Amino acid sequence: FAHLKQHKLRRSKIKLADKTDEITSHVVYGTLNAEGAPQGYLAGMDPRHPSLGMRILSVGQDILNTTEGESERAKRQMHFETLLNNFFPSAPGTYSVLRKLAGIAEGTEIATRTALECNQDFLNAISFSKGCYLGQELTARSQFTGVVRKRIVPVMIVDTEMEVPKPWVMASMIQELGTDEGMDKIFGLTGEDGEKKKLALKGYIPPPLPKISAPGAGSIVSMMMGSVASPDQNPQDASEELNKLRVQGEKLQNEIADLAQPGASIIDKKDSRTIGKILSTPAPGTTVLLAQMRLDRLGLLGSEHKWSRTNKI
């Protein structure tokens, strides 16, 4: 709220007030229809990123008169849960995981950083054709030169003994071998079958960094936490192996939770250089967090440094 007040002009006729205790905010996933919100609610799709779902504000006064609760906020929370219970199951923590997987920072995570470093040029949060606003000159200059040396990115930390997931392997090959040779290595684009594959992949350019979906991240966390057993294993052996993985996964999560505090440095063990700063603690139950990373150390600025699937930090 204090940050917003900085942007209010003295002669402006608008009024700003903190309504945290009077209005509740909610998120719904699994629908793209934000029209026809129930009475007492305002709804709209989150304009920043498709994965962030539909945002809902509870604003109606009638809700307070028909719902029991100790406080106004508690009443609104209870009314919303009752209203949506038969349509959308409750999933606490989902928003935090999806937001961090999408590389979207908010609140104190973006303090003291420029708009482009916070990816706001990708989040419908900034205009390069109108002004004027606080920080416009620096933002316009960075956009004109086309060079942003640091950006906020999602980071997922796994145990060094874990098998590297395929998206990381593919991205690493693209960086190490280049697009053409990397594509050949990944998809086997040689011989008669290779020519057919080339036609099918025409126009496709693999990303230089891995892309991972929420289900993909969930699968990796499940494997680390011993929640997935091989169908070929003996049940007793599988149970022992899963228990072992569960203990190791909990230990890793606790270690990361202790170390990955906002402001902590990410240091590449290869040369002991600082390559990033932690901005957020891991999303609950995962090792997914946000960090501001040097893009040259991720192989995105054409430097001698290449991102590797086996980077150790």
Side-chain angles (χ1 to χ4, degrees):
F1 179 65
H3 177 73
L4 284 176
K5 290 176 66 176
Q6 297 180 46
H7 299 272
K8 179 182 179 297
L9 301 178
R10 281 179 292 181
R11 295 183 180 180
S12 174
K13 295 182 180 180
I14 66 170
K15 293 182 179 180
L16 297 177
D18 187 350
K19 297 289 185 178
T20 303
D21 296 328
E22 302 173 29
I23 296 176
T24 55
S25 174
H26 312 273
V27 184
V28 171
Y29 301 99
T31 179
L32 296 177
N33 181 18
E35 298 181 3
Q39 186 175 356
Y41 290 92
L42 300 175
M45 301 308 298
D46 196 311
R48 296 174 296 173
H49 194 275
S51 70
L52 295 184
M54 179 171 65
R55 303 303 295 267
I56 299 176
L57 292 178
S58 172
V59 297
Q61 290 300 311
D62 291 344
I63 293 173
L64 304 177
N65 301 327
T66 58
T67 310
E68 295 182 359
E70 296 181 357
S71 65
E72 184 170 329
R73 188 172 184 82
K75 289 182 179 180
R76 292 189 182 279
Q77 189 74 34
M78 179 64 70
H79 188 275
F80 180 79
E81 291 178 1
T82 303
L83 183 68
L84 271 289
N85 192 42
N86 295 328
F87 305 99
F88 297 94
S90 177
T94 301
Y95 176 76
S96 178
V97 175
L98 294 180
R99 179 177 71 82
K100 290 174 181 177
L101 276 176
I104 299 174
E106 58 184 26
T108 57
E109 297 165 355
I110 63 176
T112 72
R113 292 170 178 85
T114 68
L116 301 191
E117 289 177 347
C118 297
N119 304 320
Q120 292 185 3
D121 45 334
F122 300 131
L123 302 175
N124 294 314
I126 190 170
S127 171
F128 295 108
S129 60
K130 68 179 182 181
C132 121
Y133 53 84
L134 197 64
Q136 180 190 16
E137 291 184 8
L138 178 58
T139 301
R141 184 166 63 248
S142 299
Q143 192 266 345
F144 177 77
T145 59
V147 178
V148 182
R149 301 194 179 279
K150 296 181 290 184
R151 278 192 184 269
I152 294 174
V153 299
V155 175
M156 187 172 195
I157 303 174
V158 298
D159 191 278
T160 53
E161 296 182 0
M162 181 177 176
E163 183 178 349
V164 179
K166 189 174 181 179
W168 275 264
V169 176
M170 293 172 61
S172 184
M173 286 182 179
I174 294 298
Q175 290 222 17
E176 292 173 5
L177 303 175
T179 302
D180 294 335
E181 289 187 38
M183 290 275 286
D184 289 346
K185 184 84 170 178
I186 296 168
F187 299 107
L189 304 181
T190 56
E192 186 176 340
D193 290 340
E195 292 300 319
K196 294 179 181 179
K197 290 180 181 178
K198 283 183 180 180
L199 289 174
L201 294 168
K202 187 176 181 180
Y204 172 68
I205 301 176
L209 286 179
K211 290 184 177 180
I212 185 168
S213 64
S219 297
I220 295 172
V221 172
S222 295
M223 286 188 288
M224 285 196 300
M225 297 303 296
S227 301
V228 180
S230 171
D232 301 326
Q233 276 186 299
N234 178 284
Q236 183 175 351
D237 294 340
S239 179
E240 293 177 0
E241 184 66 22
L242 290 178
N243 285 333
K244 181 180 177 182
L245 288 173
R246 196 171 293 115
V247 171
Q248 292 175 345
E250 289 176 355
K251 181 181 178 183
L252 176 65
Q253 283 194 357
N254 291 333
E255 288 178 352
I256 293 174
D258 290 337
L259 294 172
Q261 296 296 319
S265 297
I266 299 177
I267 299 174
D268 194 331
K269 283 192 172 182
K270 182 172 56 180
D271 56 10
S272 299
R273 291 286 191 90
T274 297
I275 62 175
K277 293 278 188 182
I278 301 290
L279 300 184
S280 73
T281 55
T286 76
T287 58
V288 178
L289 50 85
L290 289 176
Q292 185 178 48
M293 302 292 290
R294 285 176 47 183
L295 299 188
D296 61 324
R297 300 299 297 237
L298 299 181
L300 299 181
L301 287 182
S303 68
E304 71 275 12
H305 299 289
K306 299 296 182 183
W307 178 86
S308 170
R309 66 181 184 273
T310 55
N311 273 8
K312 294 183 175 61
I313 58 171

